[in-house]
């Protein structure tokens, strides 16, 4: 069975913010994105890039995944960011403003040419209208290990900006695109991380958004503040009820009387072998998250 790697809480930390960077070892998020892009002012870009090596050297025994978000490869900083990030051998390099599969293939070629190990994956921001239109072919790269694609991250603020839809608390105008992202990610066999909630002081609203996001099929949430970690970790881990139900399905199929059966009745409901596969996946997820 494929192994489950939790990405429930994916925290952005600006590479220019030393106080925030100093907290890395104490954070209980599943992944950290060291940001060189939108969270870093143009005047600080080169200094921020220069800090990457020391940041990674200081966390050689890292527990969570560490990703670097570089500036768009087409920008004045992008090409050097990509090389600097690759040399740190992060778990992933997050490319912003991806429009086409070519954007990923070209970045992958740079990684190959510079002998970046296979463990350095590519993550892609889905945040432009073009990415939304090309998302199926971009996601297909997830089926080709040589392309390194491991994860999509929704860039909801950029999508709002570039499309002109109204950002509402219930995200009603974004939901169709978010659902399409989940579908594409599943088709490509990669993970799909939801976008950020800008209102990081309203933790009740954040918890509700996480619950909704998990129900929509996302693997985790992009977050901007440590106060958001706990709610995300909770929402994207299987609930106690779901774990109990999965165990029951597994145990029932394991009974001698059900050997070889494709479909059984359990508490008045039809349960098929596909539900068993789903239950096993959920139990693996529960084990990995301590749920
Ligand atoms: N990662 C790690 N630590 C963080 C953090 C983060 N993303 N955001 C805040 N902290 C730390 C702060 O450094 C502070 O600790 P300190 O007092 O020792 O410095 C503590 O958490 C409390 O911070 P708080 O005062 O509540 O927030 P703030 O006003 O300092 O910062 C933001 C608010 C939004 C500016 C900040 O959270 C941030 O920059 N987030 C990331 C933004 C980002 O990367 N955006 C790009 C992707 S959309
Ligand atoms: Mg963006």
């Amino acid at each position: 069975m494929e192994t489950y790697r939790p990405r429930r809480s994916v925290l952005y930390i600006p590479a220019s913010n030393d106080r925030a960077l100093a907290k890395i070892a104490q954070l209980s998020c599943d992944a950290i994105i060291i940001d060189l892009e939108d969270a870093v002012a143009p005047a600080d870009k080169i200094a921020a890039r220069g800090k990457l090596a020391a940041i990674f050297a200081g966390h050689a025994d890292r527990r969570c995944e560490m990703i670097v978000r570089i500036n768009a490869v087409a920008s004045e900083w992008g090409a050097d960011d990509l090389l600097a990030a690759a040399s740190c051998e992060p778990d992933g390099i997050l490319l912003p403003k991806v429009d086409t599969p070519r954007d990923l293939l070209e970045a992958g070629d740079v990684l190959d040419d510079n002998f970046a190990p296979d463990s350095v994956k590519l993550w892609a921001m889905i945040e432009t209208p073009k990415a939304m239109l090309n998302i199926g072919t971009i996601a297909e790269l997830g089926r080709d290990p040589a392309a390194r694609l491991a994860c999509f991250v929704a860039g909801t603020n950029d999508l709002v900006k570039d499309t002109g839809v109204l950002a509402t608390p219930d995200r009603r105008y974004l939901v169709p695109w978010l659902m399409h992202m989940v579908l594409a990610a599943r088709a490509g066999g990669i993970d799909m991380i939801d976008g950020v909630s800008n209102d990081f002081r309203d933790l009740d609203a954040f918890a509700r958004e996480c619950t909704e996001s998990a129900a929509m099929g996302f693997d985790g949430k992009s977050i901007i503040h440590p106060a958001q970690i706990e709610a995300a970790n909770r929402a994207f881990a299987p609930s106690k009820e779901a774990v109990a139900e999965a165990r029951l399905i597994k145990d029932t199929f394991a009974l001698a009387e059900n050997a070889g059966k494709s479909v059984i009745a359990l508490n008045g409901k039809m349960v098929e072998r596909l539900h068993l596969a789903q239950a096993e996946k959920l139990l693996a997820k529960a084990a990995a998250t301590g749920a």
Side-chain angles (χ1 to χ4, degrees):
M1 208 194 315
E2 56 188 303
T3 52
Y4 167 75
R5 163 146 232 178
R7 291 179 175 139
R8 299 164 298 169
S9 48
V10 178
L11 176 68
Y12 283 102
I13 305 185
S16 51
N17 184 339
D18 291 333
R19 291 184 65 114
L21 291 167
K23 301 214 155 39
I24 289 179
Q26 290 112 57
L27 298 169
S28 56
C29 49
D30 289 331
I32 284 170
I33 299 174
I34 308 291
D35 192 23
L36 300 176
E37 199 217 13
D38 285 350
V40 178
D44 299 331
K45 296 277 192 199
I46 291 169
R49 181 201 299 146
K51 286 201 285 186
L52 283 183
I55 296 169
F56 277 82
H59 298 283
D61 55 349
R62 57 190 188 256
R63 180 199 58 79
C64 67
E65 284 191 288
M66 281 179 63
I67 314 303
V68 179
R69 183 167 76 170
I70 65 172
N71 288 284
V73 177
S75 74
E76 62 177 292
W77 306 286
D80 289 337
D81 284 356
L82 182 55
L83 293 177
S87 70
C88 297
E89 300 188 4
D91 299 291
I93 297 176
L94 174 56
L95 304 178
K97 311 291 187 306
V98 167
D99 282 330
T100 66
R102 178 173 291 273
D103 294 331
L104 281 163
L105 292 169
E106 286 177 357
D109 286 346
V110 173
L111 297 184
D112 294 344
D113 291 347
N114 287 278
F115 307 104
D118 294 343
S119 59
V120 180
K121 302 298 181 197
L122 286 171
W123 290 28
M125 295 297 303
I126 301 297
E127 57 182 349
T128 66
K130 274 193 188 162
M132 282 313 305
L133 293 174
N134 294 324
I135 195 163
T137 50
I138 299 172
E140 238 164 63
L141 295 177
R143 298 289 173 193
D144 175 8
R148 300 176 185 254
L149 179 61
C151 194
F152 280 165
V153 181
T156 37
N157 285 331
D158 269 290
L159 262 182
V160 165
K161 166 180 151 284
D162 285 0
T163 57
V165 299
L166 187 66
T168 61
D170 66 0
R171 305 198 295 175
R172 69 174 73 184
Y173 304 112
L174 282 169
V175 162
W177 295 330
L178 293 171
M179 294 305 306
H180 198 63
M181 290 183 204
V182 172
L183 193 67
R186 298 299 164 241
I190 61 173
D191 278 354
M192 182 72 239
I193 309 302
D194 195 1
V196 298
S197 295
N198 297 325
D199 188 357
F200 64 89
R201 300 281 180 223
D202 189 346
L203 289 178
D204 290 336
F206 179 70
R208 280 195 299 276
E209 191 163 298
C210 285
T211 303
E212 178 91 346
S213 170
M216 288 162 75
F218 283 98
D219 296 291
K221 186 94 174 132
S222 307
I223 60 178
I224 48 175
H225 194 281
Q228 296 179 316
I229 295 174
E230 203 195 314
N233 283 352
R234 199 170 341 108
F236 293 97
S239 69
K240 247 195 236 155
E241 297 74 31
V243 171
E245 195 190 344
R247 279 224 182 87
L248 183 63
I249 290 174
K250 198 176 168 199
D251 293 347
T252 311
F253 265 112
L255 294 175
E257 70 207 57
N258 290 327
K261 281 195 190 163
S262 301
V263 58
I264 57 175
L266 185 58
N267 296 335
K269 280 193 207 142
M270 175 184 78
V271 181
E272 296 176 279
R273 292 248 163 215
L274 69 89
H275 295 114
L276 175 61
Q278 216 176 339
E280 281 169 343
K281 210 168 163 183
L282 188 137
L283 291 173
K285 198 168 169 178
T289 56

